[in-house]
Coordinates of all heavy atoms in Angstrom, one line a residue:
Q117 N 5.6 -16.7 8.5 CA 4.3 -16.3 8.8 C 4.3 -14.9 9.5 O 3.6 -14.1 9.1 CB 3.6 -17.2 9.6 CG 3.2 -18.7 8.8 CD 2.6 -19.6 9.7 OE1 2.5 -19.4 11.0 NE2 2.3 -20.8 9.3
V118 N 5.2 -14.8 10.5 CA 5.3 -13.5 11.1 C 5.9 -12.4 10.3 O 5.2 -11.3 10.3 CB 6.4 -13.7 12.4 CG1 6.6 -12.3 13.0 CG2 5.7 -14.6 13.4
A119 N 6.9 -12.7 9.4 CA 7.4 -11.8 8.5 C 6.3 -11.3 7.6 O 6.1 -10.1 7.2 CB 8.5 -12.3 7.7
D120 N 5.4 -12.3 7.0 CA 4.4 -11.9 6.1 C 3.3 -11.1 6.8 O 2.8 -10.1 6.3 CB 3.7 -13.3 5.5 CG 4.6 -13.9 4.6 OD1 5.6 -13.4 4.1 OD2 4.4 -15.1 4.3
Y121 N 3.0 -11.4 8.1 CA 2.0 -10.7 8.8 C 2.5 -9.3 9.1 O 1.7 -8.3 8.9 CB 1.8 -11.3 10.2 CG 1.0 -10.5 11.2 CD1 -0.4 -10.7 11.2 CD2 1.6 -9.7 12.1 CE1 -1.2 -10.0 12.1 CE2 0.8 -9.0 13.0 CZ -0.6 -9.1 12.9 OH -1.3 -8.4 13.8
V122 N 3.8 -9.0 9.4 CA 4.2 -7.7 9.7 C 4.2 -6.8 8.4 O 3.8 -5.7 8.3 CB 5.7 -7.8 10.3 CG1 6.3 -6.4 10.3 CG2 5.6 -8.4 11.7
N123 N 4.6 -7.5 7.3 CA 4.7 -6.8 6.0 C 3.2 -6.4 5.5 O 3.1 -5.3 5.0 CB 5.3 -7.7 5.0 CG 6.8 -7.8 5.2 OD1 7.4 -6.9 5.7 ND2 7.4 -8.9 4.6
E124 N 2.3 -7.3 5.8 CA 0.9 -6.9 5.4 C 0.4 -5.8 6.2 O -0.3 -5.0 5.7 CB 0.1 -8.2 5.6 CG -1.4 -8.0 5.1 CD -1.6 -7.7 3.7 OE1 -0.8 -7.9 2.9 OE2 -2.6 -6.9 3.4
R125 N 0.6 -5.9 7.5 CA 0.2 -4.8 8.4 C 0.8 -3.5 8.0 O 0.2 -2.4 8.0 CB 0.5 -5.0 9.9 CG -0.1 -6.2 10.4 CD -1.6 -6.2 10.6 NE -2.4 -6.5 9.5 CZ -2.6 -7.7 9.0 NH1 -2.0 -8.7 9.7 NH2 -3.2 -8.0 7.9
K126 N 2.1 -3.5 7.5 CA 2.8 -2.3 7.1 C 2.2 -1.8 5.8 O 2.0 -0.6 5.6 CB 4.3 -2.7 6.8 CG 5.1 -1.5 6.4 CD 6.6 -1.8 6.2 CE 7.4 -0.5 6.0 NZ 7.2 0.0 4.7
R127 N 1.7 -2.7 4.9 CA 1.1 -2.2 3.6 C -0.2 -1.6 4.0 O -0.6 -0.6 3.4 CB 0.9 -3.5 2.7 CG 2.2 -3.8 2.0 CD 1.9 -4.8 0.8 NE 1.5 -6.2 1.4 CZ 2.4 -7.1 1.6 NH1 3.6 -6.9 1.4 NH2 2.0 -8.3 2.1
E128 N -0.9 -2.2 4.9 CA -2.3 -1.7 5.3 C -2.1 -0.2 5.9 O -2.9 0.6 5.6 CB -3.0 -2.7 6.3 CG -3.5 -3.8 5.7 CD -4.1 -4.7 6.7 OE1 -4.2 -4.4 7.8 OE2 -4.5 -5.8 6.3
A129 N -1.1 -0.1 6.8 CA -0.9 1.1 7.5 C -0.5 2.2 6.4 O -0.9 3.4 6.5 CB 0.2 1.0 8.6
E130 N 0.4 1.9 5.4 CA 0.9 2.8 4.4 C -0.4 3.2 3.6 O -0.4 4.4 3.2 CB 2.0 2.2 3.6 CG 3.3 2.1 4.4 CD 4.3 1.3 3.5 OE1 3.9 0.7 2.5 OE2 5.6 1.5 3.8
N131 N -1.2 2.3 3.2 CA -2.4 2.5 2.4 C -3.3 3.5 3.1 O -3.8 4.4 2.5 CB -3.1 1.3 2.0 CG -4.2 1.5 1.0 OD1 -4.0 1.7 -0.1 ND2 -5.4 1.5 1.5
L132 N -3.6 3.2 4.4 CA -4.5 4.0 5.2 C -3.9 5.4 5.2 O -4.7 6.5 5.1 CB -4.6 3.5 6.5 CG -5.5 4.3 7.5 CD1 -6.9 4.5 6.9 CD2 -5.6 3.7 8.9
N133 N -2.6 5.6 5.4 CA -2.0 6.9 5.4 C -2.2 7.6 4.1 O -2.4 8.8 4.0 CB -0.5 6.8 5.8 CG -0.3 6.5 7.2 OD1 -1.1 6.7 8.0 ND2 0.9 5.9 7.5
Q134 N -2.1 6.9 3.0 CA -2.3 7.4 1.6 C -3.7 8.0 1.5 O -4.0 9.0 1.0 CB -2.0 6.4 0.6 CG -0.5 6.2 0.3 CD -0.3 5.2 -0.8 OE1 -0.9 4.2 -0.9 NE2 0.4 5.6 -1.8
V135 N -4.7 7.2 1.9 CA -6.1 7.5 1.8 C -6.4 8.8 2.6 O -7.0 9.7 2.2 CB -7.1 6.4 2.3 CG1 -8.5 6.8 2.3 CG2 -6.9 5.1 1.3
L136 N -5.8 8.8 3.9 CA -6.1 9.9 4.7 C -5.4 11.2 4.2 O -5.9 12.2 4.3 CB -5.5 9.6 6.1 CG -6.3 8.6 6.9 CD1 -5.6 8.3 8.2 CD2 -7.7 9.1 7.2
A137 N -4.2 11.0 3.6 CA -3.5 12.2 3.0 C -4.3 12.7 1.8 O -4.4 14.0 1.7 CB -2.1 11.7 2.5
I138 N -4.9 11.9 1.0 CA -5.8 12.4 -0.1 C -7.0 13.0 0.4 O -7.4 14.1 0.0 CB -6.2 11.2 -1.0 CG1 -4.9 10.7 -1.7 CG2 -7.3 11.6 -1.9 CD1 -5.2 9.4 -2.5
Q139 N -7.6 12.5 1.4 CA -8.9 13.1 2.1 C -8.6 14.4 2.5 O -9.3 15.4 2.5 CB -9.4 12.2 3.2 CG -10.7 12.8 3.9 CD -11.4 11.6 4.6 OE1 -12.0 10.8 4.1 NE2 -11.3 11.8 5.9
N140 N -7.3 14.6 3.2 CA -7.0 15.9 3.8 C -6.8 16.9 2.7 O -6.7 18.1 3.0 CB -5.7 15.8 4.6 CG -5.9 15.1 5.9 OD1 -7.1 14.9 6.3 ND2 -5.0 14.4 6.4
K141 N -6.6 16.5 1.5 CA -6.4 17.5 0.4 C -7.7 17.9 -0.3 O -7.7 18.8 -1.2 CB -5.4 17.0 -0.8 CG -3.9 16.9 -0.3 CD -3.1 16.4 -1.4 CE -1.6 16.6 -1.1 NZ -1.2 18.0 -1.1
L142 N -8.8 17.3 0.1 CA -10.0 17.5 -0.5 C -10.8 18.6 0.2 O -10.9 18.6 1.5 CB -10.9 16.2 -0.6 CG -10.3 15.1 -1.5 CD1 -11.3 13.9 -1.6 CD2 -9.9 15.6 -2.8
T143 N -11.6 19.5 -0.4 CA -12.5 20.3 0.3 C -13.9 20.0 -0.2 O -14.1 19.5 -1.3 CB -12.1 21.8 -0.1 OG1 -12.2 22.0 -1.5 CG2 -10.8 22.1 0.3
G144 N -14.8 20.4 0.6 CA -16.3 20.1 0.3 C -16.7 18.8 0.4 O -17.8 18.3 -0.3
V145 N -16.1 17.9 1.2 CA -16.4 16.6 1.4 C -17.4 16.4 2.7 O -17.0 16.7 3.8 CB -15.2 15.6 1.6 CG1 -15.7 14.1 1.8 CG2 -14.3 15.7 0.4
S146 N -18.5 15.9 2.4 CA -19.4 15.8 3.5 C -19.1 14.4 4.3 O -18.3 13.6 3.9 CB -20.9 15.5 3.1 OG -21.0 14.4 2.3
K147 N -19.6 14.3 5.5 CA -19.4 13.1 6.3 C -19.7 11.9 5.6 O -19.1 10.8 5.8 CB -20.1 13.3 7.7 CG -19.5 14.3 8.6 CD -20.2 14.3 9.9 CE -19.6 15.4 10.9 NZ -20.4 15.3 12.2
S148 N -20.8 11.9 4.9 CA -21.2 10.7 4.1 C -20.3 10.3 3.0 O -20.4 9.2 2.5 CB -22.8 10.9 3.6 OG -22.7 12.0 2.7
D149 N -19.5 11.2 2.6 CA -18.6 11.0 1.5 C -17.2 10.8 1.8 O -16.2 10.8 1.0 CB -18.6 12.2 0.4 CG -20.0 12.2 -0.3 OD1 -20.4 11.2 -0.7 OD2 -20.4 13.4 -0.6
T150 N -16.9 10.6 3.1 CA -15.6 10.3 3.6 C -14.9 9.1 2.9 O -15.5 8.2 2.6 CB -15.5 10.1 5.2 OG1 -14.3 10.0 5.6 CG2 -16.4 8.9 5.6
L151 N -13.6 9.3 2.7 CA -12.9 8.3 2.0 C -12.3 7.2 2.8 O -12.0 6.1 2.4 CB -11.7 8.9 1.2 CG -12.1 10.0 0.2 CD1 -10.8 10.5 -0.6 CD2 -13.1 9.5 -0.9
A152 N -12.0 7.5 4.0 CA -11.4 6.7 5.0 C -12.3 5.5 5.4 O -13.1 5.6 6.3 CB -10.8 7.4 6.2
E153 N -12.2 4.4 4.8 CA -12.9 3.2 5.1 C -11.9 2.1 5.3 O -10.9 2.0 4.6 CB -13.9 2.8 4.0 CG -15.0 3.9 3.7 CD -16.0 3.9 4.9 OE1 -16.0 3.0 5.8 OE2 -16.8 4.8 4.9
P154 N -12.1 1.1 6.2 CA -11.1 0.0 6.4 C -10.8 -0.9 5.2 O -9.7 -1.3 5.2 CB -11.8 -0.9 7.5 CG -12.9 0.1 8.2 CD -13.3 1.0 7.1
H155 N -11.8 -1.0 4.3 CA -11.6 -1.8 3.2 C -10.9 -1.1 2.0 O -10.5 -1.8 1.0 CB -12.9 -2.4 2.7 CG -13.8 -1.4 2.2 ND1 -14.6 -0.5 2.9 CD2 -14.0 -1.0 0.8 CE1 -15.2 0.3 2.2 NE2 -14.9 0.0 1.0
R156 N -10.8 0.2 2.1 CA -10.5 0.9 0.9 C -9.0 1.0 0.7 O -8.2 1.2 1.6 CB -11.1 2.4 1.1 CG -10.9 3.2 -0.3 CD -11.9 4.3 -0.3 NE -13.3 3.6 -0.5 CZ -14.4 4.1 0.0 NH1 -14.4 5.2 0.8 NH2 -15.6 3.5 -0.3
R157 N -8.7 0.8 -0.6 CA -7.2 0.8 -1.0 C -7.0 1.8 -2.2 O -7.7 1.8 -3.1 CB -6.8 -0.5 -1.6 CG -7.0 -1.7 -0.5 CD -6.0 -1.6 0.6 NE -6.1 -2.7 1.5 CZ -6.9 -2.6 2.7 NH1 -7.5 -1.4 2.9 NH2 -6.9 -3.6 3.5
Y158 N -6.0 2.6 -1.9 CA -5.7 3.6 -3.0 C -5.0 2.9 -4.2 O -4.2 2.0 -3.9 CB -4.7 4.7 -2.5 CG -4.1 5.6 -3.4 CD1 -4.6 6.5 -4.2 CD2 -2.7 5.4 -3.8 CE1 -4.1 7.3 -5.2 CE2 -2.0 6.1 -4.7 CZ -2.8 7.1 -5.4 OH -2.1 7.9 -6.4
V159 N -5.3 3.3 -5.5 CA -4.7 2.7 -6.6 C -3.9 3.7 -7.4 O -2.7 3.5 -7.7 CB -5.9 2.1 -7.5 CG1 -5.3 1.4 -8.7 CG2 -6.7 1.1 -6.8
R160 N -4.5 4.8 -7.9 CA -3.8 5.7 -8.7 C -4.5 7.1 -8.6 O -5.6 7.2 -8.3 CB -3.6 5.2 -10.1 CG -4.9 5.2 -10.9 CD -4.7 4.8 -12.3 NE -3.9 5.7 -13.1 CZ -2.9 5.4 -14.0 NH1 -2.4 4.3 -14.1 NH2 -2.3 6.4 -14.6
R161 N -3.9 8.1 -9.2 CA -4.4 9.4 -9.3 C -3.9 10.0 -10.6 O -2.8 9.6 -11.2 CB -4.0 10.3 -8.1 CG -2.5 10.5 -8.0 CD -2.1 11.4 -6.9 NE -0.7 11.7 -6.8 CZ 0.1 11.1 -6.0 NH1 -0.4 10.3 -5.1 NH2 1.4 11.5 -5.9
G162 N -4.5 11.1 -11.1 CA -4.1 11.7 -12.3 C -5.2 12.4 -13.0 O -6.4 12.4 -12.6
S163 N -4.8 13.3 -14.0 CA -5.9 14.0 -14.8 C -6.4 13.3 -15.9 O -5.7 12.5 -16.6 CB -5.1 15.3 -15.2 OG -4.0 15.0 -16.0
L164 N -7.7 13.5 -16.1 CA -8.4 13.0 -17.3 C -9.5 14.1 -17.7 O -9.9 14.9 -16.9 CB -9.2 11.7 -16.9 CG -8.4 10.4 -16.7 CD1 -9.4 9.3 -16.2 CD2 -7.8 10.0 -18.0
M165 N -9.8 14.1 -19.0 CA -11.0 14.9 -19.4 C -12.2 14.0 -19.3 O -12.2 12.8 -19.4 CB -10.8 15.3 -20.8 CG -9.6 16.2 -21.1 SD -10.0 17.9 -20.4 CE -8.5 18.7 -20.8
E166 N -13.3 14.7 -18.9 CA -14.6 14.1 -19.0 C -15.6 14.9 -19.8 O -15.7 16.1 -19.7 CB -15.1 13.8 -17.6 CG -16.5 13.1 -17.6 CD -17.0 12.7 -16.2 OE1 -16.3 13.2 -15.1 OE2 -18.0 12.1 -16.1
L167 N -16.3 14.1 -20.7 CA -17.3 14.9 -21.5 C -18.5 15.2 -20.6 O -19.1 14.4 -20.0 CB -17.8 14.0 -22.7 CG -16.6 13.6 -23.7 CD1 -17.3 12.9 -24.9 CD2 -15.9 14.8 -24.1
D168 N -18.9 16.6 -20.7 CA -20.1 16.9 -19.9 C -21.3 16.7 -20.8 O -21.3 16.0 -21.9 CB -19.9 18.4 -19.6 CG -19.9 19.3 -20.8 OD1 -20.4 18.9 -22.0 OD2 -19.6 20.5 -20.7
I169 N -22.6 17.1 -20.3 CA -23.8 16.7 -20.9 C -23.9 17.3 -22.3 O -24.8 16.9 -23.1 CB -25.0 17.2 -20.1 CG1 -24.8 18.7 -19.8 CG2 -25.0 16.4 -18.8 CD1 -26.1 19.2 -19.1
R170 N -23.1 18.3 -22.7 CA -23.1 18.9 -24.0 C -22.1 18.2 -24.9 O -21.9 18.6 -26.0 CB -22.8 20.4 -23.9 CG -23.7 21.2 -23.1 CD -23.1 22.5 -22.8 NE -21.9 22.5 -22.1 CZ -21.0 23.5 -22.0 NH1 -21.2 24.6 -22.6 NH2 -19.9 23.2 -21.3
G171 N -21.4 17.2 -24.3 CA -20.3 16.5 -25.2 C -19.0 17.4 -25.2 O -18.2 17.1 -26.0
M172 N -18.8 18.3 -24.3 CA -17.6 19.2 -24.2 C -16.6 18.6 -23.1 O -17.0 18.3 -22.1 CB -17.9 20.6 -23.8 CG -19.0 21.2 -24.7 SD -18.4 21.4 -26.4 CE -17.1 22.7 -26.2
P173 N -15.4 18.5 -23.6 CA -14.4 17.9 -22.6 C -14.0 18.9 -21.4 O -13.7 20.0 -21.8 CB -13.2 17.7 -23.4 CG -13.3 18.6 -24.6 CD -14.7 18.8 -24.9
Q174 N -14.1 18.5 -20.3 CA -13.8 19.3 -19.1 C -12.7 18.6 -18.2 O -12.7 17.4 -18.0 CB -15.0 19.5 -18.2 CG -16.3 20.1 -18.9 CD -16.0 21.4 -19.6 OE1 -15.1 22.1 -19.1 NE2 -16.7 21.8 -20.5
P175 N -11.7 19.4 -17.8 CA -10.6 18.7 -17.0 C -10.9 18.5 -15.5 O -11.5 19.4 -14.9 CB -9.5 19.8 -17.0 CG -10.3 21.1 -17.1 CD -11.5 20.8 -17.9
F176 N -10.6 17.3 -15.1 CA -10.8 16.8 -13.7 C -9.6 16.1 -13.3 O -8.8 15.6 -14.0 CB -12.0 15.9 -13.6 CG -13.4 16.6 -13.8 CD1 -13.9 16.6 -15.0 CD2 -14.0 17.4 -12.8 CE1 -15.1 17.2 -15.3 CE2 -15.1 18.1 -13.1 CZ -15.8 18.0 -14.3
F177 N -9.4 16.1 -12.0 CA -8.3 15.3 -11.4 C -9.0 14.2 -10.5 O -9.9 14.3 -9.7 CB -7.4 16.1 -10.4 CG -6.1 15.5 -10.1 CD1 -5.0 15.8 -10.8 CD2 -6.0 14.6 -9.0 CE1 -3.8 15.3 -10.4 CE2 -4.8 14.1 -8.6 CZ -3.7 14.4 -9.4
F178 N -8.5 12.9 -11.0 CA -9.2 11.8 -10.3 C -8.4 10.9 -9.5 O -7.2 10.9 -9.6 CB -9.7 10.8 -11.5 CG -10.8 11.4 -12.4 CD1 -10.5 12.2 -13.5 CD2 -12.1 11.1 -12.1 CE1 -11.5 12.7 -14.3 CE2 -13.1 11.6 -12.8 CZ -12.8 12.4 -14.0
F179 N -9.0 10.4 -8.5 CA -8.4 9.4 -7.6 C -9.1 8.1 -7.7 O -10.3 8.0 -7.4 CB -8.5 10.0 -6.1 CG -7.8 11.3 -5.9 CD1 -8.4 12.5 -6.0 CD2 -6.4 11.2 -5.5 CE1 -7.8 13.7 -5.8 CE2 -5.7 12.4 -5.3 CZ -6.4 13.7 -5.5
L180 N -8.4 7.1 -8.0 CA -9.0 5.8 -8.1 C -8.6 4.9 -6.9 O -7.5 4.9 -6.5 CB -8.5 5.0 -9.4 CG -8.9 3.7 -9.6 CD1 -10.4 3.5 -9.8 CD2 -8.1 3.0 -10.9
F181 N -9.7 4.3 -6.3 CA -9.5 3.4 -5.2 C -10.0 2.0 -5.7 O -10.4 1.9 -6.8 CB -10.3 3.8 -4.0 CG -9.8 5.2 -3.5 CD1 -10.3 6.4 -4.0 CD2 -8.7 5.3 -2.5 CE1 -9.9 7.7 -3.6 CE2 -8.4 6.6 -2.1 CZ -8.8 7.7 -2.7
N182 N -9.9 1.0 -4.8 CA -10.4 -0.3 -5.2 C -11.8 -0.5 -5.3 O -12.2 -1.5 -5.9 CB -9.8 -1.4 -4.2 CG -10.3 -1.1 -2.8 OD1 -10.6 0.0 -2.4 ND2 -10.5 -2.1 -2.1
D183 N -12.6 0.5 -4.9 CA -14.1 0.4 -5.1 C -14.8 1.6 -5.7 O -15.9 1.6 -6.0 CB -14.7 -0.1 -3.7 CG -14.5 1.1 -2.7 OD1 -13.4 1.8 -2.8 OD2 -15.3 1.1 -1.8
I184 N -14.0 2.7 -5.7 CA -14.7 4.0 -6.2 C -13.7 4.8 -7.1 O -12.5 4.6 -6.9 CB -15.1 4.9 -5.0 CG1 -13.9 5.2 -4.0 CG2 -16.3 4.3 -4.1 CD1 -14.2 6.1 -2.9
L185 N -14.3 5.7 -7.8 CA -13.5 6.7 -8.6 C -14.0 8.0 -8.1 O -15.2 8.3 -8.3 CB -13.7 6.5 -10.0 CG -13.0 7.4 -11.0 CD1 -11.5 7.2 -10.8 CD2 -13.4 7.2 -12.4
V186 N -13.1 8.8 -7.6 CA -13.4 10.2 -7.1 C -13.0 11.2 -8.1 O -11.8 11.3 -8.5 CB -12.8 10.4 -5.7 CG1 -13.0 11.8 -5.3 CG2 -13.3 9.4 -4.7
S187 N -13.8 12.1 -8.5 CA -13.5 13.3 -9.4 C -13.4 14.5 -8.6 O -14.2 14.8 -7.7 CB -14.5 13.3 -10.4 OG -15.8 13.7 -10.0
T188 N -12.4 15.3 -8.8 CA -12.2 16.6 -8.1 C -11.8 17.6 -9.2 O -11.4 17.3 -10.3 CB -11.1 16.5 -7.1 OG1 -9.8 16.3 -7.8 CG2 -11.4 15.3 -6.1
E189 N -11.9 18.9 -8.8 CA -11.4 20.1 -9.5 C -10.3 20.7 -8.9 O -10.2 20.8 -7.7 CB -12.6 21.0 -9.7 CG -13.7 20.6 -10.5 CD -14.8 21.6 -10.6 OE1 -14.8 22.7 -9.7 OE2 -15.8 21.5 -11.4
V190 N -9.3 21.1 -9.6 CA -8.1 21.7 -9.2 C -8.2 23.2 -9.4 O -8.5 23.6 -10.6 CB -6.8 21.2 -9.9 CG1 -5.5 21.9 -9.3 CG2 -6.7 19.7 -9.7
K191 N -7.9 24.0 -8.3 CA -8.1 25.5 -8.5 C -7.1 26.0 -9.6 O -5.9 25.6 -9.7 CB -7.7 26.2 -7.2 CG -7.9 27.6 -7.1 CD -7.5 28.2 -5.8 CE -7.8 29.7 -5.7 NZ -7.4 30.3 -4.5
G192 N -7.7 26.8 -10.5 CA -7.0 27.4 -11.6 C -7.1 26.7 -13.0 O -6.7 27.3 -13.9
R193 N -7.7 25.5 -12.9 CA -8.0 24.8 -14.2 C -9.2 25.4 -14.9 O -10.2 25.7 -14.2 CB -8.2 23.3 -14.0 CG -6.9 22.6 -13.4 CD -5.8 22.6 -14.3 NE -6.0 22.0 -15.5 CZ -5.1 22.0 -16.5 NH1 -4.0 22.6 -16.5 NH2 -5.3 21.3 -17.6
K194 N -9.2 25.6 -16.2 CA -10.2 26.2 -16.9 C -10.9 25.1 -17.8 O -10.4 24.2 -18.2 CB -9.7 27.3 -17.8 CG -8.9 28.4 -17.0 CD -9.8 29.1 -16.0 CE -9.1 30.3 -15.4 NZ -9.9 31.0 -14.5
S195 N -12.1 25.4 -18.0 CA -12.9 24.6 -19.0 C -12.5 24.9 -20.4 O -12.1 26.0 -20.7 CB -14.5 24.8 -18.8 OG -14.9 24.5 -17.5
F196 N -12.7 23.9 -21.4 CA -12.3 24.1 -22.7 C -13.6 24.5 -23.5 O -14.7 24.0 -23.3 CB -11.7 22.8 -23.3 CG -10.4 22.5 -22.7 CD1 -10.3 21.6 -21.8 CD2 -9.3 23.1 -23.2 CE1 -9.1 21.2 -21.3 CE2 -8.0 22.8 -22.7 CZ -7.9 21.8 -21.7
K197 N -13.3 25.7 -24.3 CA -14.5 26.2 -24.9 C -14.7 25.7 -26.3 O -15.8 25.7 -26.9 CB -14.3 27.8 -25.0 CG -14.0 28.5 -23.7 CD -15.3 28.3 -22.8 CE -15.1 29.0 -21.5 NZ -16.3 28.8 -20.6
G198 N -13.7 25.1 -26.9 CA -13.9 24.6 -28.3 C -14.3 23.1 -28.4 O -14.5 22.5 -27.3

Side-chain angles (χ1 to χ4, degrees):
Q117 291 171 359
V118 170
D120 290 342
Y121 172 85
V122 172
N123 287 335
E124 181 60 27
R125 299 291 83 76
K126 183 175 186 293
R127 282 191 290 269
E128 289 179 358
E130 289 175 341
N131 184 79
L132 178 59
N133 287 336
Q134 282 184 311
V135 175
L136 290 174
I138 291 170
Q139 181 167 289
N140 290 336
K141 284 182 172 291
L142 301 185
T143 61
V145 182
S146 66
K147 290 184 178 180
S148 60
D149 288 322
T150 182
L151 301 183
E153 298 288 348
H155 68 278
R156 187 150 292 146
R157 302 288 180 268
Y158 166 74
V159 178
R160 70 177 291 137
R161 64 178 181 257
S163 55
L164 289 170
M165 294 290 179
E166 183 176 0
L167 297 187
D168 62 18
I169 57 176
R170 303 166 300 164
M172 304 294 290
Q174 306 298 336
F176 293 96
F177 197 93
F178 289 90
F179 297 93
L180 175 63
F181 299 87
N182 60 328
D183 62 331
I184 58 174
L185 179 64
V186 176
S187 63
T188 68
E189 293 178 347
V190 182
K191 186 177 180 180
R193 297 298 295 176
K194 303 295 184 181
S195 299
F196 290 98
K197 302 300 183 182

